[in-house]
Amino acid sequence: MCHPLIEEKRQQMIELALVYGFTAKETVKCSQELDELLNTQLRETLATQQDQSKKALLSH
């Protein structure tokens, strides 16, 4: 499941691209903000998975 902020930013980017074009400053800025949200989510997911792996190894 995607985070609601990610979906909101993705929709905003699509709307900006349709209005201003794909290479417009507004669209590119929004795309970069979306990238930051996605990277943050990825880092959090990886950290959670690593923690779970460590706990599983320690429980054996």
Side-chain angles (χ1 to χ4, degrees), residues 19-49:
V19 172
Y20 298 107
F22 290 96
T23 59
K25 286 187 280 185
E26 298 87 352
T27 307
V28 172
K29 182 176 185 277
C30 188
S31 175
Q32 291 169 338
E33 292 168 356
L34 176 60
D35 287 344
E36 288 177 24
L37 289 171
L38 290 167
N39 288 332
T40 299
Q41 183 183 42
L42 178 61
R43 280 190 297 272
E44 290 171 357
T45 299
L46 290 173
T48 300
Q49 288 175 347

